[in-house]
Amino acid sequence: MKLGGMFGQQKQLAPRVTPQPAAAPAVTKEAPVAAGQKLAQLVATKRKPGDFGIVWPKVKPQQVKDYAPITTQVELEAWLDRCLETGTFGFDWETTASRDTKERWQEWLAGFRYQERKDEYLDHAEEDRADGRRRIRELELQQMTKKQREAAAKKIGREAENRAKEWEAKAADLDAEYEFQREVYLKTPFDPHQGEICTASICPEPHRVRVVPIEHKRGKVFEPMLTREAARKLFMDTLDRKIFRSKDVRKIAFNGPFEVKYAAKYGKYLQKPFADPQLSSVRCIQLVDPGRIPDPKKPASGLGLKPQTLQTFGVQLGNFEEILQRNGVDFFDELDASQGEGLVYSAEDADYAVQLDNYWMEVARQIPKYEDWLDNIEMPFGRVIGLMEYWGMRWDEDLAEQKRQEAIAAQEQASEDIKQLVREAVRDEDGNPLEVNPGKGGKTGEMKAVIFDYMKLPVAKLGDPTKKGERLPSLDEEALIDMEFMLQHKLHDLKEEKYLAVRLPDGWEQIDPNTDPNLDKEQREAIRIHQRPDHPHKEAGIKLLGLMRKIQKYATLLSSHIEGRGKWQNPVTGRIHCNYTPWTETSRLNASKPNGQNVPRLDNDAFGIRNLYIPGPGKILFFIDFSGFELRILAWRANDGVMIEIFNTGGDMHKTTAVEMTGKPAEEITKKERTDAKPANFGIAYGGTEHALQTVFKTDYGIRKTLDECLDMVNAVKRAYSGVPQYQVDVVTEARDTGYSETIYGYKRLLPGINSSNKYERNTAGRQAGNTPIQGSAADVMKAVQNDVYDMIGAGTTLRYDMDELGPDLGEAELLQYFPLHHGHTDMIAQIHDEIIFEVDDDPDTVDAVHKWVKDRMEQPPIPGFPVKIEAEGSVGYAWGKKQDAFQWAREKRGA
DNA sequence: CTCGAACGCGCG
DNA sequence: GTACGAGCGTTCGAG
């Protein structure tokens, strides 16, 4: 190694991890000292921003493996006792298509008649060709010239070939459909509603694993005298009794949500401690070795169990698909898991989950607060993800179809109106009415040509300046609003808007703005604008822009929110199970396939899509959300006395802001003035500017304000809550030093741009530094709450299960009072950042009990001494779009 | 024909 | 050129 590489640390962040950590630069760059001394020394040394001075864990060599199958309950109990001794339970499920799923597949195959239909199509193709050849031969018998015969033969041949090709295309479609369905079928083991656990492996310490083959077509299985259902139940019950409910055993699974989801299928809940080395590894790598993550949007990609085991321990694990392929089978349960590669494959995952957990938690301990955050917030939250994915939300298919038809009709009507309007307003080069294709959303190239080339409507806004290439005119909602405004007021440039406020002298119609000596510059401009003729397409243009806004709304609602959701309905549950991941920059959740966190609000949706989300039979939806959550967190983080006072005394922050903006006393603030203050308040948390505020007013509130007015408002907010701008300066200063921004429980977001020489990058990073502690702390607090909800559901479920087994003990009223939450009756099914959705028995006592417990938990101070009151509000509904107050509902229900 | 960029829009 | 975070559907052009 070159000396420059060892000591020249200009650009160095953290060293790269290698399979041989002895070679890692962090260990070798300084004189060898004892680890403790070294740590102390590193703490004392001033480090570069983003450098955590990690001492990479020493990797112990792999030992001879003790992998073996377990086939009896006695062996299982003994092995779990071992886990109790070590305090470690590394585990992994192998799953397969369930019997029902396999039956459904066989039925589908039978109905699809793949081979039969394919043979039929190909026969038809062959017949068509043969027929063509026969008819060409017949031409010989007819009276015609050679040339005629050749032409006729050519025609017949072409027609026959075309018919044959059509049959072959049908055969190809059949192939494609079969392949598609088969791919879907082969993925069913990932879905607990279509799959089943066939094998489990259990690791109490590195290198020692027992594999439990529960249901396999070959080899020994667990308790072979039992039915497979009974064996699986015995296995899960035993795990639950000895391990899952224990608060002393660390349950470790790589990609924990998957294991948790399958546990939920059997009504099992895993109490903390719960570890997932996928989370600990990626979270650590993001901070100490960010170069290892090529795509920050998908930080876990390339960091699965197998690549990590290779990179960290130098061990190449078996490949699942290859093993199946080599054995010529579709699913794992067709292999023997009691010996050979089936056994080894199962065992390895649990073994290396434990080893990776050990390794990365040693790294986490060297990052301030990270071990705590991972152990108490982030890793246990994987259980919540698994649970919410397991349940999903019921989707009202019939109503959805009705709404789909309505949306299609609305979209088509808007499309027809646009076409007709363009025909009337615009002629093509030949003087004929112009035919235009508006597409689904009215944003095709043809439409752009109509608007900007034919009609020459004014351009209000150009495309994204941060993107390379020419800035084309924008047609987003803001642009459409501004274009309409410009037509109304004869503006050629939006910058002229300010002249509309200029007071015109009497008789301005007759004044020549170019020569009159009594005018100032502004008056001249104003008169010039007012004296302009109307745009030749003023009326048609305004109508067209209105239609453009409508068709875009309909297109979005139809494609993304009706059709785009319905297609994800699970074939078994009929529900929509969206996926969640924690991979966001602020530690928030995200949701996908479909995104369950962006369902349109009723006030912005002509079709009421939230009403398509309904509870299951005998159930009701219970919603509870933090009120003003991020602003409360901001009040704490900025330590702003005024904001804290407002939130703690039930005051009205929007009104207070309005007072500062208008200079009027609080009693005289009008409803409009209060509404005006709202976006300004929300904006400050993002480091908002007057420009952004202006856009929000225009697009969300339909109010036009000048930049100066918006600037005044931004300044008013900063004056009213002086702690906030101070906080924003302080947090940036700190981030420039440390290289990161941090949340309440310790998540850290690296901000490489914070010291950039590029002003834009630096400012962006500065706003992120200010926002991350707010948005990220809100996310952390929500995760802590949901972790406790999960634990409570687990506790209630366990208690009721034990009562069933051991005989009744408590009455339902007591149960609801002390353990209000339990599986299958009070289920947590979704999270939308500051809101949790539950599906609960349609019973006022149950709803009240859940409401009371969850509200109380949510309103606890996030940390001791937290100065701001936290409030949560509950509501219920038989559809997402039909919320009512939860306490009132329960009262009425009891009365009825 | 497939894939990705650009654009636009839904949510907190 | 100036608001934070996220996912997805449509359109269009490159490969």
Side-chain angles (χ1 to χ4, degrees):
Chain A
M1 180 183 284
K2 277 194 236 164
L3 282 182
M6 290 164 71
F7 298 103
Q9 298 169 22
Q10 287 307 314
K11 286 179 184 162
Q12 186 177 355
L13 289 171
R16 259 184 102 79
V17 67
T18 70
Q20 298 301 320
V27 181
T28 54
K29 71 182 173 189
E30 288 164 45
V33 281
Q37 264 180 307
K38 179 167 172 89
L39 268 177
Q41 187 186 327
L42 283 170
V43 169
T45 315
K46 173 113 173 117
R47 284 194 297 262
K48 295 216 166 296
D51 180 6
F52 293 86
I54 298 297
V55 179
W56 291 96
K58 234 186 152 66
V59 175
K60 295 182 200 106
Q62 295 298 314
Q63 297 173 13
V64 174
K65 299 295 178 181
D66 174 21
Y67 294 165
I70 277 182
T71 55
T72 68
Q73 174 70 0
V74 173
E75 290 171 301
L76 175 63
E77 298 247 5
W79 195 250
L80 296 180
D81 284 337
R82 226 181 146 109
C83 291
L84 291 170
E85 282 162 29
T86 61
T88 297
F89 175 80
F91 71 114
D92 180 47
W93 315 138
E94 305 301 337
T95 61
T96 178
S98 70
R99 289 183 199 180
D100 282 353
T101 302
K102 287 176 180 172
E103 266 173 39
R104 269 194 305 130
W105 171 249
Q106 289 304 328
E107 279 167 24
W108 183 86
L109 274 184
F112 192 64
R113 299 187 302 127
Y114 174 70
Q115 204 54 54
E116 206 178 326
R117 282 161 73 197
K118 189 167 177 185
D119 289 348
E120 186 189 324
Y121 296 155
L122 294 180
D123 285 350
H124 279 306
E126 192 39 51
E127 280 164 24
D128 283 337
R129 289 204 178 87
D131 185 53
R133 286 194 296 273
R134 186 170 45 74
R135 285 170 53 201
I136 289 169
R137 278 197 304 277
E138 283 168 6
L139 290 176
E140 303 287 335
L141 307 173
Q142 293 178 20
Q143 287 286 334
M144 50 172 73
T145 65
K146 190 180 171 200
K147 210 172 174 185
Q148 282 172 327
R149 188 172 292 125
E150 271 172 8
K154 208 171 170 186
K155 183 161 176 269
I156 290 168
R158 200 169 50 232
E159 282 169 1
E161 184 60 23
N162 285 345
R163 279 196 298 277
K165 284 230 168 85
E166 271 175 40
W167 286 114
E168 281 168 355
K170 284 185 86 164
D173 287 348
L174 204 67
D175 281 344
E177 174 69 4
Y178 173 79
E179 280 308 319
F180 176 79
Q181 294 294 346
R182 188 173 152 74
E183 287 301 308
V184 170
Y185 174 54
L186 292 180
K187 282 187 183 144
T188 54
F190 292 116
D191 175 8
H193 302 288
Q194 301 185 71
E196 194 60 272
I197 296 176
C198 60
T199 322
S201 39
I202 298 165
C203 173
E205 57 188 308
H207 321 299
R208 310 202 188 321
V209 180
R210 289 295 173 267
V211 172
V212 187
I214 296 170
E215 181 165 11
H216 278 262
K217 292 195 177 139
R218 296 165 51 201
K220 292 182 199 156
V221 291
F222 177 64
E223 291 293 338
M225 299 302 284
L226 298 177
T227 67
R228 292 306 84 201
E229 285 71 24
R232 195 177 286 111
K233 181 172 190 313
L234 176 64
F235 175 74
M236 292 303 285
D237 284 353
T238 308
L239 255 50
D240 182 27
R241 175 165 47 82
K242 293 188 89 103
I243 306 291
F244 291 168
R245 63 176 72 177
S246 164
K247 296 185 166 82
D248 302 319
V249 182
R250 187 176 177 91
K251 299 130 204 110
I252 306 165
F254 196 96
N255 188 15
F258 180 75
E259 268 63 30
V260 169
K261 212 187 283 199
Y262 263 99
K265 179 185 172 97
Y266 309 104
K268 303 304 184 202
Y269 287 70
L270 292 84
Q271 297 288 326
K272 282 192 277 195
F274 182 86
D276 179 348
Q278 173 156 61
L279 278 165
S280 51
S281 61
V282 174
R283 288 307 192 190
C284 288
I285 291 168
Q286 283 180 313
L287 282 181
V288 305
D289 197 7
R292 238 177 111 179
I293 294 172
D295 180 0
K297 293 225 164 250
K298 293 178 195 161
S301 79
L303 294 173
L305 178 72
K306 319 244 177 238
Q308 280 213 48
T309 301
L310 180 60
Q311 289 163 28
T312 308
F313 303 109
V315 175
Q316 178 74 59
L317 298 186
N319 177 290
F320 189 70
E321 279 79 22
E322 279 173 18
I323 291 178
L324 294 187
Q325 228 166 32
R326 202 163 44 243
N327 288 275
V329 299
D330 291 340
F331 299 112
F332 199 76
D333 69 331
E334 298 168 67
L335 302 178
D336 183 352
S338 67
Q339 58 171 339
E341 66 177 350
L343 175 96
V344 172
Y345 181 86
S346 309
E348 279 173 334
D349 282 15
D351 184 355
Y352 288 100
V354 170
Q355 293 194 49
L356 282 167
D357 177 53
N358 289 338
Y359 181 91
W360 286 107
M361 291 314 289
E362 201 175 325
V363 175
R365 279 190 277 277
Q366 301 175 53
I367 303 167
K369 289 168 83 173
Y370 241 42
E371 183 183 21
D372 269 1
W373 179 71
L374 285 167
D375 275 344
N376 295 314
I377 308 290
E378 189 69 342
M379 296 198 296
F381 191 75
R383 305 170 307 163
V384 176
I385 290 180
L387 189 65
M388 298 192 302
E389 290 185 348
Y390 174 74
W391 287 118
M393 284 178 89
R394 190 173 175 210
W395 176 257
D396 186 337
E397 253 178 312
D398 298 336
L399 189 56
E401 180 53 26
Q402 192 185 317
K403 293 295 167 187
R404 192 175 82 92
Q405 296 300 340
E406 281 176 32
I408 290 172
Q411 191 190 30
E412 281 175 355
Q413 185 60 55
S415 177
E416 274 313 311
D417 291 349
I418 288 173
K419 285 184 192 170
Q420 188 55 34
L421 190 146
V422 171
R423 277 186 211 116
E424 287 165 13
V426 188
R427 306 266 136 185
D428 65 16
E429 287 80 356
D430 305 325
N432 298 318
L434 186 69
E435 290 295 327
V436 70
N437 168 24
K440 296 200 173 188
K443 304 280 165 69
T444 56
E446 288 180 36
M447 283 299 289
K448 289 173 187 165
V450 166
I451 290 166
F452 297 113
D453 299 340
Y454 284 91
M455 297 177 77
K456 300 201 191 308
L457 300 188
V459 175
K461 179 184 175 186
L462 295 174
D464 190 339
T466 61
K467 300 268 159 53
K468 57 188 171 192
E470 196 191 348
R471 293 184 64 190
L472 298 169
S474 167
L475 281 176
D476 67 9
E477 193 177 20
E478 188 191 9
L480 297 176
I481 290 171
D482 283 337
M483 287 163 72
E484 183 180 334
F485 183 80
M486 291 167 78
L487 286 176
Q488 295 279 15
H489 297 93
K490 304 189 274 194
L491 304 185
H492 293 167
D493 188 317
L494 199 54
K495 289 196 191 93
E496 296 172 340
E497 182 175 0
K498 60 178 184 243
Y499 297 116
L500 298 179
V502 174
R503 222 186 123 84
L504 300 177
D506 287 338
W508 61 267
E509 293 92 336
Q510 272 69 50
I511 295 176
D512 181 347
N514 301 316
T515 56
D516 191 298
N518 300 319
L519 300 174
D520 61 30
K521 188 172 170 278
E522 303 219 316
Q523 287 173 317
R524 283 184 210 287
E525 279 303 325
I527 291 174
R528 276 187 200 117
I529 291 167
H530 279 86
Q531 289 183 352
R532 279 175 192 162
D534 276 331
H535 190 283
H537 287 298
K538 178 181 173 185
E539 296 307 323
I542 288 171
K543 267 193 207 156
L544 180 62
L545 294 171
L547 286 170
M548 299 268 296
R549 286 171 69 182
K550 266 168 92 175
I551 198 173
Q552 171 70 70
K553 292 264 179 213
Y554 295 144
T556 303
L557 291 172
L558 175 63
S559 310
S560 295
H561 299 297
I562 301 180
E563 293 177 339
R565 293 179 191 285
K567 71 179 182 192
W568 292 102
Q569 240 188 327
N570 184 289
V572 172
T573 64
R575 298 166 70 101
I576 294 182
H577 305 255
C578 76
N579 293 318
Y580 292 95
T581 86
W583 304 126
T584 63
E585 294 287 345
T586 58
S587 86
R588 265 191 177 189
L589 277 197
N590 63 25
S592 63
K593 297 198 294 181
N595 182 352
Q597 294 179 317
N598 74 341
V599 182
R601 292 197 320 258
L602 280 190
D603 55 11
N604 190 29
D605 166 12
F607 305 109
I609 289 157
R610 285 199 176 191
N611 289 327
L612 308 182
Y613 285 91
I614 55 173
K619 303 281 178 175
I620 190 164
L621 296 174
F622 169 66
F623 314 87
I624 186 158
D625 52 323
F626 283 114
S627 42
F629 198 24
E630 284 194 15
L631 287 175
R632 285 173 202 254
I633 303 264
L634 177 61
W636 157 69
R637 194 63 176 69
N639 196 22
D640 183 274
V642 178
M643 281 175 86
I644 293 174
E645 173 75 9
I646 290 172
F647 286 126
N648 287 355
T649 56
D652 183 340
M653 184 170 166
H654 300 317
K655 193 176 253 184
T656 307
T657 304
V659 167
E660 183 64 36
M661 283 176 180
T662 59
K664 297 203 301 198
E667 314 82 66
E668 292 174 26
I669 295 298
T670 64
K671 208 172 167 185
K672 182 181 176 298
E673 285 163 341
R674 183 181 177 277
T675 306
D676 280 10
K678 257 172 134 174
N681 280 340
F682 290 127
I684 49 170
Y686 309 137
T689 63
E690 64 275 21
H691 295 96
L693 189 57
Q694 190 185 36
T695 303
V696 170
F697 273 121
K698 207 156 44 185
T699 54
D700 293 4
Y701 293 78
I703 304 170
R704 292 200 85 85
K705 287 197 182 293
T706 66
L707 268 188
D708 285 343
E709 286 174 307
C710 291
L711 182 60
D712 286 347
M713 297 179 86
V714 170
N715 289 336
V717 173
K718 288 182 180 170
R719 273 197 313 278
Y721 316 106
S722 58
V724 174
Q726 185 59 52
Y727 152 75
Q728 282 166 340
V729 170
D730 292 347
V731 78
V732 169
T733 309
E734 197 186 326
R736 292 210 167 123
D737 189 41
T738 59
Y740 61 82
S741 186
E742 185 173 17
T743 67
I744 189 167
Y745 295 134
Y747 168 71
K748 289 164 188 63
R749 174 187 186 177
L750 227 47
L751 293 165
I754 198 76
N755 291 311
S756 165
S757 56
N758 178 317
K759 189 173 145 199
Y760 178 75
E761 276 178 25
R762 209 168 51 241
N763 287 345
T764 299
R767 290 190 297 271
Q768 292 166 337
N771 180 254
T772 300
I774 309 307
Q775 190 180 106
S777 296
D780 270 1
V781 173
M782 181 54 109
K783 285 178 179 177
V785 166
Q786 290 190 273
N787 279 336
D788 284 1
V789 171
Y790 179 96
D791 282 337
M792 200 60 187
I793 297 175
T797 308
T798 298
L799 184 73
R800 281 162 197 262
Y801 181 83
D802 288 353
M803 276 171 50
D804 285 350
E805 297 282 297
L806 307 171
D809 191 11
L810 294 169
E812 189 61 26
E814 281 97 349
L815 276 174
L816 279 182
Q817 191 182 346
Y818 298 110
F819 292 90
L821 305 172
H822 64 301
H823 178 83
H825 300 271
T826 55
D827 299 308
M828 180 158 55
I829 64 174
Q831 184 242 62
I832 310 159
H833 310 305
D834 62 359
E835 173 182 14
I836 311 173
I837 305 181
F838 293 81
E839 190 174 61
V840 181
D841 288 348
D842 185 8
D843 162 59
D845 294 337
T846 308
V847 170
D848 266 355
V850 174
H851 188 171
K852 215 168 142 261
W853 192 88
V854 177
K855 180 180 166 73
D856 183 66
R857 173 60 190 85
M858 287 171 83
E859 292 183 347
Q860 280 170 25
I863 50 173
F866 193 84
V868 191
K869 197 168 153 193
I870 301 286
E871 287 181 281
E873 247 180 85
S875 51
V876 291
Y878 293 106
W880 192 351
K882 293 183 178 134
K883 287 191 194 181
Q884 49 183 312
D885 181 84
F887 285 130
Q888 200 188 328
W889 170 85
R891 271 197 304 277
E892 284 168 13
K893 184 95 175 173
R894 274 195 209 92

